[in-house]
C-alpha cells in the first residue's frame, strides 16, 4: 500500500482511540457513575467529540485522502477502508459548522419539550420544535446530497447506501403478509401465563441465569462484562473488551433474559470482529441493520424456538426451583411467544414489531417530503395504527409521543430495526443450507450445541467486518440480495405452530 494510505490509516487509529475512550466513558456513565458527576462527564464527552471531529476535518485530511485514493486500493480491505473514510469525511465536512451548532442546540431544546409533552400528554407542547426539527433534517439532507428523495440522505446516515427504492418493497412485502396473519391470531386463545404472573422472580437468580445462558451461547466473559443499567445496551471498546447490560423486573423474568440474549447477540458480533483489522474502519461491525440481525438472531430465531426452550428448562429450574415446578419447555415456549397487537413499540412481540416500524417509516418519509403536515401527524399516526394493527391509542402519550427519536433529530433510524429482523431470517436460512446435513439446527440447540451456528456467523458475517456495504455483505453470505421472504416464511411457520392458524 502507498505512503498516503499508511498516513491515513495511522490518523484513523488516533481517531478510533478517541472513540474507544468515549465508549468506555459512556458505559461508565450508564453503569457506575455517581449522579453528581453528570455535568463533568458532559464536559469530558463534549471535549472528546470535538477532538475526534477536528482530527477528521483537519485541513490536510482531505489531501491525504485524495492522495490515498489516487494510489489506488490494492485489495478489498483497502477498498473498504477508503470507501468508509471517504463517507465519514464527506459526512463530517459537508455540514457547515453553524448548522452543526444549530442542530445540537435545537436537539437539547426539543428533547426537553418532547419530555414535557409526553408527561402532560399534550402534543402542542412539542409541535413547534418538531416542525423545526423536520426543517433541520431537510436542510441536512440538502448538505449531504441525494438523487431522488431527500429522505434517502437521512436513511444513508444510519445504514450506508440505504434508500427509499430499496426499503419500500421490503415494507410492502411485510405489510401484505403480516397484517392478515396478525388479524388471524387475534381470534385465537392466548397462552396460559399464570405460572409467570403468579410468581416472584428474584433479581439475583435472574442475573445468574442470564450469565449462564449468555456464556452457553458463546459470549466470552474474559473479554467482556455483564452489568445492570436502566436502558440496556452493548458497548465497550474492542473485541477484547465488550460490555453489555440488562435490567431486571422481579414481576416477570422475560424482559431481562431475552434482553440479555439480545445484547449477547450484539456482544458476540463485537467479539468476532477481525483482529487483523483492529483500529481500521473496515474492521468495524457493518452498520446498525447487520448489528441488529445478530441480536435478533439469538434473541428470537434461536432464543424463542421450542428447541431452545426445552434446552433452557433445566437451567430455569436450577435458579427458580419452586416457580418452575411443572413448567414444561412447551409452556415456556408459548409464553415467550405471545402475539398480540399493542400500542407501544418497545413492548411489541416479534410478529407485530415490524408493523410499528413500517408505520414510522411511512410517516417519516411523508414528513420529510412535505406530504404530511405536522398538525395532521397525531391523527395520521392513530389512523395508521387502526388500519394496520386494529387498535387506536386513547391518548398521545401511547401514540405519536412514545419514541424519543424525532426529538433527537433521528429521522431514518427506525428502518434499521426491521432490516435486522429481515437479515437475521435470511442469514439463518443460508446457515441451515450449509450446516444441516445429518440433523437440524433445532436438534443441535436442544442439546445446547450453539457453536456451529455461531461459527457460521463468525465466518460469514463477523470476520467480514465492514469490508463490504451491508447489502453486499448479506448477498455474499446468503447468495441473495436482502429480501423480506425468509422472515415472512419464518413467522408464518411459527404462528402456525403456535396458534394453528395460517394466512
Ligand atoms: Zn439491538
Amino acid at each position: 500500500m502507498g505512503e498516503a494510505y499508511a498516513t491515513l490509516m495511522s490518523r484513523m487509529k488516533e481517531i478510533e482511540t478517541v472513540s474507544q475512550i468515549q465508549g468506555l466513558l459512556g458505559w461508565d456513565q450508564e453503569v457506575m457513575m455517581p449522579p453528581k458527576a453528570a455535568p463533568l462527564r458532559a464536559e469530558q464527552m463534549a471535549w472528546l467529540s470535538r477532538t475526534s471531529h477536528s482530527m477528521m476535518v483537519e485541513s490536510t485530511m482531505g489531501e491525504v485522502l485524495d492522495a490515498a485514493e489516487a494510489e489506488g486500493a490494492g485489495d478489498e480491505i483497502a477498498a473498504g477502508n477508503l470507501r468508509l473514510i471517504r463517507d465519514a469525511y464527506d459526512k463530517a465536512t459537508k455540514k457547515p459548522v453553524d448548522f452543526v451548532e444549530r442542530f445540537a442546540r435545537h436537539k437539547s431544546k426539543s428533547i426537553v419539550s418532547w419530555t414535557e409533552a409526553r408527561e402532560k400528554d399534550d402534543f402542542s407542547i412539542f409541535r413547534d420544535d418538531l416542525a423545526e426539527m423536520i426543517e433541520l433534517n431537510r436542510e441536512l439532507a440538502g448538505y449531504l446530497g441525494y438523487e431522488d428523495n431527500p429522505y434517502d440522505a437521512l436513511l444513508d446516515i444510519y445504514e450506508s447506501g440505504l434508500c427509499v427504492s430499496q426499503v419500500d418493497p421490503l415494507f410492502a412485502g411485510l405489510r401484505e403478509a403480516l397484517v392478515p396473519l396478525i388479524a388471524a391470531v387475534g381470534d385465537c386463545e392466548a397462552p396460559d401465563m399464570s405460572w409467570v404472573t403468579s410468581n416472584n422472580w428474584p433479581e439475583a437468580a435472574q442475573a445468574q441465569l442470564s450469565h449462564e445462558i449468555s456464556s452457553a451461547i458463546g459470549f466470552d466473559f474474559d473479554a467482556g462484562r455483564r452489568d445492570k443499567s436502566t436502558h440496556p445496551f452493548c458497548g465497550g471498546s474492542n473485541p477484547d473488551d465488550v460490555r453489555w447490560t440488562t435490567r431486571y423486573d422481579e414481576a416477570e423474568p422475560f424482559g431481562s433474559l431475552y434482553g440479555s440474549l439480545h445484547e449477547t447477540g450484539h456482544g458476540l458480533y463485537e467479539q468476532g470482529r477481525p483482529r487483523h483489522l483492529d483500529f481500521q474502519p473496515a474492521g468495524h461491525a457493518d452498520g446498525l441493520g447487520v448489528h441488529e440481525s445478530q441480536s435478533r438472531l439469538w434473541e428470537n430465531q434461536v432464543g424463542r424456538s421450542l428447541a431452545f426452550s426445552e434446552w433452557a428448562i433445566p437451567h430455569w429450574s436450577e435458579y427458580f426451583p419452586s416457580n418452575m415446578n411443572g413448567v414444561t419447555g412447551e409452556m415456556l415456549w408459548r409464553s415467550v411467544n405471545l402475539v398480540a397487537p399493542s400500542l407501544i413499540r418497545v413492548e411489541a412481540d416479534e410478529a407485530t414489531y415490524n408493523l410499528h416500524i413500517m408505520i414510522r417509516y411511512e410517516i417519516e418519509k411523508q414528513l420529510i417530503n412535505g406530504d404530511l403536515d405536522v398538525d395532521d401527524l397525531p391523527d395520521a399516526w392513530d389512523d395508521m395504527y387502526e388500519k394496520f394493527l386494529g387498535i387506536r391509542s386513547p391518548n398521545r402519550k401511547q401514540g405519536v409521543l412514545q419514541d424519543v427519536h424525532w426529538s433527537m433529530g433521528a429521522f431514518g433510524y427506525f428502518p434499521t430495526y426491521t432490516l435486522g429482523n429481515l437479515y437475521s431470517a435470511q442469514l439463518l436460512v443460508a446457515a441451515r443450507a450449509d450446516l444441516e446435513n445429518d440433523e437440524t439446527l433445532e436438534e443441535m440447540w436442544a442439546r445446547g450445541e450453539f457453536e456451529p451456528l455461531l461459527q457460521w456467523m463468525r465466518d460469514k458475517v463477523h470476520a467480514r467486518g465492514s469490508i463490504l456495504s451491508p447489502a453486499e455483505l448479506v448477498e455474499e453470505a446468503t447468495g441473495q440480495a436482502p429480501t423480506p421472504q425468509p422472515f415472512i416464511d419464518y413467522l408464518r411457520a411459527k404462528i402456525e405452530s403456535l396458534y394453528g392458524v395460517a394466512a
Side-chain angles (χ1 to χ4, degrees):
M1 237 47 79
E3 203 179 314
Y5 182 76
T7 308
L8 186 63
M9 295 316 289
S10 75
R11 290 193 183 191
M12 292 317 289
K13 181 170 181 177
E14 309 245 314
I15 294 172
E16 157 105 26
T17 302
V18 176
S19 107
Q20 293 189 358
I21 296 167
Q22 276 177 304
L24 287 178
L25 281 182
W27 172 86
D28 176 80
Q29 184 172 334
E30 298 294 323
V31 176
M32 301 294 277
M33 188 183 79
K36 282 189 178 170
L40 180 67
R41 181 56 46 85
E43 289 278 332
Q44 295 163 343
M45 295 293 258
W47 185 85
L48 288 167
S49 289
R50 272 201 310 276
T51 303
S52 65
H53 181 76
S54 53
M55 285 159 100
M56 193 66 186
V57 303
E58 196 246 299
S59 59
T60 57
M61 188 68 168
E63 291 158 33
V64 176
L65 180 53
D66 288 342
E69 285 171 340
E71 287 169 359
D75 57 23
E76 61 165 9
I77 294 170
N81 277 324
L82 288 173
R83 171 180 58 82
L84 293 160
I85 299 167
R86 167 58 65 192
D87 191 48
Y89 177 78
D90 285 349
K91 277 177 181 149
T93 52
K94 278 179 177 172
K95 295 177 274 187
V97 178
D98 90 287
F99 172 80
V100 175
E101 278 172 21
R102 267 190 295 134
F103 197 96
R105 228 179 300 123
H106 187 64
K107 181 171 155 182
S108 310
K109 183 168 176 260
S110 67
I111 289 176
V112 173
S113 65
W114 168 77
T115 307
E116 191 191 337
R118 193 163 96 135
E119 267 164 28
K120 296 187 176 158
D121 190 21
D122 182 354
F123 180 75
S124 70
I125 297 170
F126 181 47
R127 190 246 168 243
D128 291 351
D129 283 340
L130 177 60
E132 193 175 335
M133 196 48 108
I134 293 164
E135 270 313 314
L136 284 167
N137 268 276
R138 284 192 194 127
E139 196 179 333
L140 174 61
Y143 295 131
L144 295 175
Y146 54 87
E147 270 173 34
D148 305 321
N149 193 318
Y151 188 48
D152 287 348
L154 305 178
L155 288 168
D156 180 71
I157 297 174
Y158 304 101
E159 178 90 353
S160 179
L162 197 66
C163 55
V164 167
S165 63
Q166 278 175 19
V167 184
D168 271 351
L170 294 182
F171 278 119
L174 274 179
R175 194 163 49 220
E176 229 168 84
L178 294 188
V179 171
L181 196 59
I182 290 159
V185 173
D187 302 327
C188 299
E189 204 182 323
D192 175 19
M193 302 288 283
S194 61
W195 68 275
V196 181
T197 50
S198 63
N199 278 311
N200 181 263
W201 302 86
E203 179 176 323
Q206 288 193 44
Q208 283 172 302
L209 178 63
S210 135
H211 193 96
E212 187 177 316
I213 287 187
S214 174
S215 185
I217 64 178
F219 187 79
D220 177 4
F221 280 100
D222 288 330
R225 290 182 58 87
R226 174 187 55 83
D227 291 277
K228 178 180 168 179
S229 72
T230 319
H231 304 289
F233 67 97
C234 177
S237 52
N238 153 291
D240 288 334
D241 186 358
V242 177
R243 304 174 181 212
W244 60 269
T245 67
T246 188
R247 60 180 162 204
Y248 303 99
D249 176 355
E250 296 204 329
E252 67 85 22
F254 300 147
S256 171
L257 186 73
Y258 283 85
S260 295
L261 279 165
H262 182 96
E263 300 306 335
T264 295
H266 284 305
L268 290 171
Y269 189 8
E270 288 295 316
Q271 287 185 335
R273 281 162 40 190
R275 301 312 305 271
H276 64 294
L277 303 183
D278 268 359
F279 294 105
Q280 298 187 26
H284 281 209
D286 207 0
L288 295 171
V290 178
H291 230 305
E292 203 62 13
S293 80
Q294 299 302 292
S295 56
R296 301 277 170 173
L297 176 83
W298 295 99
E299 176 194 0
N300 292 334
Q301 308 262 350
V302 180
R304 288 191 159 89
S305 66
L306 179 57
F308 185 91
S309 303
E310 278 169 348
W311 165 78
I313 275 286
H315 301 278
W316 282 82
S317 303
E318 186 184 342
Y319 298 109
F320 304 103
S322 60
N323 292 2
M324 297 304 290
N325 211 347
V327 178
T328 63
E330 186 177 333
M331 286 164 74
L332 176 62
W333 172 66
R334 290 193 184 280
S335 301
V336 299
N337 281 297
L338 177 72
V339 173
S342 61
L343 292 169
I344 307 294
R345 173 183 63 85
V346 296
E347 292 164 9
D349 59 76
E350 210 184 345
T352 56
Y353 187 86
N354 300 290
L355 294 181
H356 290 259
I357 300 301
M358 182 272 295
I359 290 170
R360 285 157 179 76
Y361 166 75
E362 294 297 337
I363 286 178
E364 284 189 347
K365 199 169 57 175
Q366 292 179 22
L367 286 171
I368 296 298
N369 288 327
D371 297 330
L372 176 64
D373 194 85
V374 182
D375 293 313
D376 300 325
L377 166 64
D379 288 340
W381 177 287
D382 292 340
D383 291 345
M384 286 178 91
Y385 266 78
E386 187 154 3
K387 183 170 171 197
F388 296 115
L389 284 158
I391 46 174
R392 198 175 181 92
S393 179
N395 53 43
R396 300 302 186 206
K397 210 162 35 179
Q398 292 171 285
V400 70
L401 290 173
Q402 67 179 273
D403 295 308
V404 69
H405 301 60
W406 293 341
S407 72
M408 297 172 70
F411 286 79
Y413 190 109
F414 284 119
T416 64
Y417 293 126
T418 285
L419 287 180
N421 286 321
L422 304 186
Y423 294 168
S424 75
Q426 191 171 338
L427 288 166
L428 188 59
V429 168
R432 282 185 196 284
D434 286 347
L435 299 172
E436 294 189 331
N437 299 315
D438 305 322
E439 55 178 358
T440 64
L441 286 178
E442 278 74 6
E443 286 168 312
M444 299 180 210
W445 300 343
R447 286 198 306 273
E449 226 178 281
F450 305 109
E451 174 65 21
L453 179 60
L454 177 59
Q455 196 52 53
W456 192 93
M457 292 297 158
R458 290 258 189 266
D459 296 342
K460 303 283 185 173
V461 180
H462 306 181
R464 299 294 284 145
S466 46
I467 294 169
L468 305 174
S469 76
E472 288 166 347
L473 175 74
V474 171
E475 184 158 358
E476 182 190 78
T478 67
Q480 207 185 357
T483 150
Q485 202 53 48
F487 182 74
I488 293 168
D489 295 343
Y490 156 77
L491 266 188
R492 276 203 180 121
K494 187 162 187 180
I495 286 183
E496 198 176 343
S497 63
L498 278 164
Y499 293 94
V501 295

